[in-house]
Amino acid sequence: MQASVTVKTDLGHGSGFVVSSDGYIVTNLHVVANAKNIEVLSTDQISLQAVLIRQNEYKDLALLKVEKAFPYSFPISAEKNYKIGEDIFAIGTPNSIELGQSLSKGIISGARNSEEENYIQTDASVNTGNSGGAMINGQGMLLGVVNSKVSGIGVEGIGFAIPAFEIGKALFIK
């Protein structure tokens, strides 16, 4: 949880997570796209100005940088590290900034491919504001980046994440 952040812009908010102790943060590009100001709220409620370092429009990923040392970060796997049926947790800031670093539990209910892109399907509760948050397993290992959900009348519990192994390639992170 301490490696999770809220990403606030002049256009709204989303979630993110720390990938190195020196202040690099991953989120979805749609969370920060076209924003004039990007602010990161840490779990200890410190507000930090963030700079967009890299982006990948095709994968909907962004790398931010803040000037803060973080005691915890998520290592990024270069290999597939999840399996269908596995218990997972989604960490993020659903609906309101006051709900920052909320945890929801679910399972990996499928592995999907859409337009040559890989996605992890989950039944964990994800809402507006969870985008860019970490999907982790019970051991705290990063499995993916929460990205979207299916919504509509009679639709519940269908969310998607970008697999963690896609992050390094998409944002040139080693």
Side-chain angles (χ1 to χ4, degrees):
M1 295 285 278
Q2 292 181 358
S4 297
V5 299
T6 297
V7 179
K8 184 178 171 185
T9 73
D10 49 305
L11 304 171
H13 82 277
S15 304
F17 54 91
V18 180
V19 294
S20 72
S21 61
D22 57 347
Y24 286 94
I25 294 166
V26 168
T27 189
N28 287 132
L29 179 58
H30 75 260
V31 170
V32 297
N34 303 314
K36 294 180 178 138
N37 183 42
I38 304 171
E39 178 184 356
V40 168
L41 303 172
S42 64
T43 55
D44 51 5
Q45 299 306 308
I46 295 173
S47 174
L48 305 156
Q49 284 304 120
V51 175
L52 178 61
I53 300 296
R54 285 191 203 111
Q55 64 186 43
N56 186 311
E57 295 87 1
Y58 191 67
K59 298 281 188 189
D60 191 23
L61 291 170
L63 182 66
L64 308 176
K65 175 73 167 91
V66 297
E67 294 304 318
K68 177 180 176 10
F70 287 87
Y72 301 99
S73 63
F74 288 107
I76 300 172
S77 175
E79 311 272 328
K80 178 182 172 188
N81 62 349
Y82 60 88
K83 62 182 186 238
I84 295 173
E86 182 176 7
D87 287 335
I88 61 93
F89 301 90
I91 307 170
T93 306
N95 295 321
S96 169
I97 290 177
E98 289 76 27
L99 298 175
Q101 284 71 47
S102 291
L103 186 70
S104 64
K105 182 179 180 184
I107 64 165
I108 293 178
S109 47
R112 306 292 175 217
N113 187 287
S114 174
E115 298 177 20
E116 304 299 316
E117 294 301 313
N118 296 306
Y119 293 98
I120 301 169
Q121 181 181 329
T122 183
D123 67 349
S125 177
V126 294
N127 295 285
T128 302
N130 277 106
S131 290
M135 175 186 280
I136 62 173
N137 65 13
Q139 292 73 46
M141 183 184 313
L142 180 69
L143 304 179
V145 183
V146 175
N147 181 254
S148 63
K149 74 174 201 166
V150 176
S151 60
I153 297 171
V155 178
E156 291 184 33
I158 305 175
F160 297 96
I162 300 163
F165 69 83
E166 299 278 357
I167 299 169
K169 294 183 288 188
L171 296 175
F172 304 102
I173 300 172
K174 294 181 181 181

